[in-house]
Amino acid sequence: AQKVTQAQTEISVVEKEDVTLDCVYETRDTTYYLFWYKQPPSGELVFLIRRNSFDEQNEISGRYSWNFQKSTSSFNFTITASQVVDSAVYFCALSAPNTNAGKSTFGDGTTLTVKP
Amino acid sequence: SAVISQKPSRDICQRGTSLTIQCQVDSQVTMMFWYRQQPGQSLTLIATANQGSEATYESGFVIDKFPISRPNLTFSTLTVSNMSPEDSSIYLCSAQIGMNTEAFFGQGTRLTVV
């Protein structure tokens, strides 16, 4: 079975601090896909990144960066120089074709609050 | 990418009634899903909406309670039947262009049952 664990339920930082959101996953598949989504107070989930299990390169997009490590089954998300607009719930998700027909399993989410 | 329009955005309903939520995608997609998100919690998959056939329900969800239609590749509906206060939640429609691709989400329907 697939499982995604986001151990941090809530994180609070002051603007301009860096913050890392942790994500640990479990799957028996050798091919799988990892995702991060942002859910601002408006409620709509916004896709941030997709990573496949064969690509362990870290990725940077502006203030966002992702660290994928298969050895520890982790896919952590770092926001550099956080801003108030980053306040949201962030979900990590896993999709594995053989286990779950492409459907995504979501973690419980981490609520990030960035204070001015 | 895909843009998803979901309506209504919110509703307050009486116990025992039913509500149908509509989900329209701006392009043809392979997969459509319905999720429930209870306050402060993660997303729970209700079912996969299959085009032209019966939906595939996850454990704990049944067709009588959550009938789903998907008449084509761009549209789906979810009905919450015989509602009780426990059904108060956010219901989210999502679509994937292909298997294992990213999911795009509608704005959600905030349902309150009184």
Side-chain angles (χ1 to χ4, degrees), chain B residues 3-33:
Chain B
V3 175
I4 300 178
S5 300
Q6 190 175 331
K7 56 181 181 181
S9 58
R10 59 178 66 235
D11 207 340
I12 300 173
C13 299
Q14 293 292 322
R15 181 193 303 252
T17 63
S18 298
L19 176 71
T20 296
I21 303 168
Q22 297 182 3
C23 178
Q24 178 73 55
V25 189
D26 70 342
S27 57
Q28 293 187 345
V29 292
T30 303
M31 308 176 82
M32 291 183 74
F33 305 96

Side-chain angles (χ1 to χ4, degrees), chain A:
Chain A
Q2 296 181 143
K3 186 177 180 181
V4 176
T5 301
Q6 294 180 254
Q8 305 149 307
T9 305
E10 296 182 9
I11 300 176
S12 182
V13 299
V14 177
E15 205 168 22
K16 297 185 182 177
E17 286 185 11
D18 298 347
V19 57
T20 295
L21 309 181
D22 298 333
C23 173
V24 174
Y25 61 91
E26 296 176 28
T27 180
R28 295 178 185 168
D29 286 64
T30 54
T31 300
Y32 52 88
Y33 300 82
L34 295 162
F35 307 85
W36 276 95
Y37 295 87
K38 174 182 180 180
Q39 187 177 39
S42 60
E44 182 176 354
L45 274 88
V46 177
F47 163 74
L48 296 178
I49 190 170
R50 170 180 181 258
R51 212 74 182 142
N52 73 57
S53 52
F54 297 107
D55 182 1
E56 285 195 73
Q57 279 193 343
N58 292 331
E59 179 150 342
I60 298 174
S61 176
R63 295 184 297 107
Y64 295 171
S65 62
W66 291 269
N67 184 351
F68 175 31
Q69 296 202 349
K70 287 180 75 171
S71 61
T72 56
S73 296
S74 66
F75 186 43
N76 296 338
F77 173 32
T78 297
I79 302 175
T80 303
S82 60
Q83 300 176 1
V84 173
V85 294
D86 296 327
S87 296
V89 182
Y90 290 86
F91 291 97
C92 180
L94 165 70
S95 171
N98 293 332
T99 303
N100 221 14
K103 295 176 288 187
S104 294
T105 300
F106 285 79
D108 288 339
T110 296
T111 300
L112 173 65
T113 302
V114 181
K115 299 177 181 177

Side-chain angles (χ1 to χ4, degrees), chain A residues 33 35 37 39 41-45 47 50 91 95-97 101-104 106-108, chain B residues 31 33 35 37 41-43 45 48 58 92 96 99-107 110:
Chain A
Y33 300 82
F35 307 85
Y37 295 87
Q39 187 177 39
S42 60
E44 182 176 354
L45 274 88
F47 163 74
R50 170 180 181 258
F91 291 97
S95 171
K103 295 176 288 187
S104 294
F106 285 79
D108 288 339
Chain B
M31 308 176 82
F33 305 96
Y35 289 86
Q37 185 179 26
Q41 297 192 20
S42 187
L43 283 73
L45 182 63
T48 302
E58 299 299 306
L92 291 150
Q96 291 177 215
M99 186 179 288
N100 298 309
T101 60
E102 61 270 29
F104 298 95
F105 286 85
Q107 309 95 311
R110 296 175 186 266

